[in-house]
Amino acid sequence: MSSERKPTFAIIGAGMSGLLAALKLREAGYEFTVFEKADRVGGTWRENTYPGIACDVPSHLYSYSFELNPDWKFLASPGAEIQEYFEGIAKRYELEGSIRFNDPIVRCDWQGEGWEVEGGSGFVGHFDWVIAATGILHHPKHAEIPGIEDFAGDLFHSAEWDHSVALEGKRIGVIGNGSSGIQITGTLAPIASEFTLFQRTAQWVVPVEQVEYTEEQRAEFRSNPEALQGLHDELDQSFHQGFGNQVLDSSSDIFEGMRTVCNNHLDTFVTDPELREKLRPDYTPACKRLVVSHNFYDSIQVPQAELVTESIERIEAGGVRTADGRLHEFDVLVAATGFHVDAFVRPMAVRGLDGVTLDEIWKERPSAYMSMGIPGFPNFFMINGPNSPVGNFSLIRTAEMQFAYLMMLVDHVKEGGHSHATPSSEAAVRFEDERTEAAKNTVWATGCRSWYLDDRGIPFVWPFPFERFTQEMEKPRFEDYTIG
Ligand code: NAP
């Protein structure tokens, strides 16, 4: 490619990472098209609208570092407020005209010099680079329970909420007590006539206080950007240096501290000894993704609520039959059963060098060099892709650093008068081997079932300290790429 011509980009997805890529490319004067499967921006915050949805990461950390928001109303914002933030970003940077809504990419073919990309609408475009910003918690995992199709009431997944269904005064069942199930319980148990939470594994629940910022506090943030920046930086520092790094060493003292805090929370707030013991986990805190809540223990103790730990045998027209033979009858059944976290860009058909497909390369499990690139797939990079930090570092900081890394690579290729870069297989294998070894020492590998584990039971999350991530993202190791 001539070094005068600016490369062009296809961005897949208009969630947090896709919007970030789009606005940064706009600022840098590049041409790009965003392909978005839905009719609005927002990604996970557009998809997840269940009652009680909020981000358990403080809002002043869950913001782009260059778009801090003095007007966050809560310490941990409800989903609708975060959705509003991302919609505001799309408007402010005038991105909507560059987004093809309702046009999911179905096919990406490498054609020697660039990518041919096809949208579900039949649109076909040609781009030099593809940035896949498709998210991790993206493909709902429907409860695979015998008889589920027989249920006669309303049944939906937490990420596919049917808002036409009235909830107040109804008999409601929730399957799953991850972060979604716990937030739903916090909100729905008090308004249901009967409420049941089906718990397969107890969760460590970290107490938080829901703090609403006053108008005076928000005015102070507006008039004092340094104070706002200071708050962001302080949250960022304590999250990454504290929690983010300590979960990597399963022998760290931090887990005993967490156990004490969570046990105190449980012992103080749950009065019935039998319920208390059912709610007490028997594995190391943070082995599963920690659940944070200000109202779960209150809600599960309202008179109409029940925690059921008996295993589910099948679903029938009337409700859920447990192994003890009991039928739990419901009007509404919610599957808060999580996501297929290993799908990433799939089921999109992606074909790289020599016609190799992503399905073939990833047939055992997904992996990516530096969590971003795949050998055999030139100029195809993911943000928050396989092996990215998730839960241990801020997802937004991670995306910002990954995007900056990619732009250094793009500039390097262009300045050399080249057209493409592909991570070498040797570099990818070296990274994967080192990553897999480090993952075995993390708290996620201490013996619990969680979505952090791959098919071998090895955590797939970035297992190195934050400093290592910062260092790797500071400048690509160009020698790890085939550039041509
Ligand atoms: P999840 O953490 O994967 O939880 C799924 C739940 O469903 C688990 O309790 C699981 O039990 C249960 N389950 C799955 N299949 C089942 C079956 N067939 N029968 C009975 N129980 C079944 O999913 P999630 O709650 O949607 O959360 C996913 C992630 O999204 C979180 O970890 C977090 O990273 C993110 N999230 C974040 C927030 C936030 O505030 N920032 C809020 C919501 C979600 P087991 O534990 O026994 O497997």
Side-chain angles (χ1 to χ4, degrees):
M1 184 172 71
S2 114
S3 59
E4 275 87 63
R5 185 171 81 72
K6 281 198 156 191
T8 56
F9 296 81
I11 300 170
I12 314 176
M16 177 277 287
S17 309
L19 290 176
L20 168 77
L23 73 87
K24 288 286 178 189
L25 288 173
R26 162 80 28 92
E27 278 180 344
Y30 285 106
E31 285 202 15
F32 64 88
T33 300
V34 184
F35 292 79
E36 169 51 58
K37 68 174 181 178
D39 61 358
R40 283 192 304 151
V41 304
T44 200
W45 302 104
R46 178 199 60 228
E47 303 284 298
N48 285 273
T49 57
Y50 59 76
I53 184 164
C55 184
D56 55 19
V57 174
S59 314
H60 286 290
L61 179 58
Y62 197 84
S63 316
Y64 296 125
S65 62
F66 50 89
E67 276 289 350
L68 299 184
N69 176 16
D71 291 313
W72 288 122
K73 293 193 189 68
F74 294 93
L75 176 68
S77 291
E81 201 186 350
I82 303 172
Q83 173 66 16
E84 203 180 302
Y85 171 78
F86 287 118
E87 285 178 0
I89 293 282
K91 282 211 170 54
R92 194 150 53 255
Y93 287 84
E94 298 179 1
L95 299 177
E96 291 195 329
S98 304
I99 303 176
R100 296 185 61 83
F101 288 106
N102 302 307
D103 204 2
I105 288 187
V106 292
R107 176 180 66 84
C108 294
D109 273 325
W110 175 252
Q111 299 203 319
E113 285 287 305
W115 287 94
E116 182 172 274
V117 166
E118 184 180 340
S121 65
F123 171 90
V124 174
H126 294 90
F127 302 90
D128 297 305
W129 297 76
V130 173
I131 302 177
T134 50
I136 305 158
L137 300 158
H138 171 57
H139 299 280
K141 191 179 195 176
H142 296 105
E144 285 161 11
I145 299 172
I148 195 158
E149 60 290 343
D150 297 336
F151 184 61
D154 293 297
L155 165 75
F156 39 84
H157 187 275
S158 56
E160 296 169 332
W161 201 269
D162 182 348
H163 289 278
S164 70
V165 174
L167 299 165
E168 200 145 348
K170 294 288 176 70
R171 298 170 302 169
I172 302 172
V174 173
I175 302 173
N177 62 335
S179 301
S180 304
I182 294 280
Q183 288 182 340
I184 293 168
T185 301
T187 306
L188 291 192
I191 64 156
S193 60
E194 289 170 36
F195 182 91
T196 303
L197 174 64
F198 291 95
Q199 169 187 292
R200 198 163 61 174
T201 315
Q203 290 275 12
W204 290 107
V205 181
V206 180
V208 276
E209 235 183 293
Q210 178 59 303
V211 175
E212 186 167 358
Y213 289 114
T214 62
E215 179 42 41
E216 290 71 43
Q217 286 171 306
R218 284 185 265 146
E220 166 64 14
F221 286 137
R222 278 196 290 274
S223 66
N224 188 351
E226 289 80 30
L228 187 61
Q229 189 69 50
L231 175 60
H232 170 272
D233 296 350
E234 194 184 308
L235 289 166
D236 183 272
Q237 168 86 3
S238 64
F239 184 51
H240 293 118
Q241 302 305 332
F243 183 78
N245 281 351
Q246 297 198 41
V247 288
L248 306 178
D249 172 10
S250 57
S251 65
S252 164
D253 292 341
I254 193 179
F255 306 113
E256 277 322 296
M258 280 183 197
R259 192 185 291 272
T260 305
V261 168
C262 295
N263 268 329
N264 285 345
H265 182 212
L266 178 62
D267 293 337
T268 309
F269 285 92
V270 178
T271 49
D272 172 13
E274 199 182 320
L275 175 63
R276 204 189 295 145
E277 293 321 305
K278 278 186 181 176
L279 287 166
R280 199 184 305 278
D282 60 0
Y283 53 87
T284 309
C287 180
K288 285 162 100 70
R289 202 275 198 185
L290 278 173
V291 165
V292 175
S293 179
H294 66 281
N295 59 7
F296 172 62
Y297 287 153
D298 281 345
S299 295
I300 199 66
Q301 291 180 93
V302 296
Q304 67 273 28
E306 184 181 3
L307 179 79
V308 171
T309 54
E310 195 70 38
S311 61
I312 296 174
E313 201 170 77
R314 63 177 184 275
I315 295 179
E316 302 176 5
V320 175
R321 178 83 62 183
T322 42
D324 55 3
R326 187 172 155 204
L327 179 67
H328 305 259
E329 292 182 280
F330 300 114
D331 305 307
V332 181
L333 190 55
V334 177
T337 40
F339 298 85
H340 292 285
V341 295
D342 60 350
F344 292 98
V345 301
R346 293 178 288 182
M348 195 181 302
V350 185
R351 196 177 290 274
L353 288 171
D354 305 321
V356 69
T357 68
L358 196 56
D359 275 342
E360 285 159 5
I361 297 284
W362 281 0
K363 71 175 179 303
E364 284 186 332
R365 70 196 64 89
S367 69
Y369 168 72
M370 287 297 156
S371 80
M372 296 181 70
I374 312 161
F377 293 79
N379 293 9
F380 187 97
F381 285 83
M382 293 167 288
I383 297 182
N384 292 130
N387 320 132
S388 249
V390 50
N392 44 340
F393 308 158
S394 150
L395 216 57
I396 299 191
R397 265 300 286 289
T398 296
E400 289 182 9
M401 285 193 266
Q402 289 175 332
F403 181 79
Y405 172 101
L406 174 57
M407 289 319 285
M408 284 182 264
L409 192 60
V410 169
D411 287 346
H412 181 79
V413 167
K414 185 170 172 296
E415 280 156 19
H418 299 296
S419 64
H420 57 269
T422 324
S424 70
S425 300
E426 297 72 31
V429 168
R430 192 187 65 229
F431 174 75
E432 179 63 5
D433 287 349
E434 204 191 339
R435 182 195 72 72
T436 307
E437 271 318 293
K440 293 176 185 165
N441 300 324
T442 63
V443 70
W444 310 308
T446 53
C448 65
R449 172 177 46 208
S450 85
W451 61 263
Y452 282 174
L453 303 178
D454 68 16
D455 57 305
R456 302 164 295 182
I458 298 175
F460 65 77
V461 177
W462 178 272
F464 308 116
F466 186 63
E467 294 70 28
R468 163 100 185 247
F469 187 70
T470 314
Q471 209 180 3
E472 295 285 8
M473 293 296 112
E474 208 162 18
K475 187 172 179 232
R477 303 179 194 204
F478 298 120
E479 67 278 17
D480 283 353
Y481 288 89
T482 305
I483 294 177

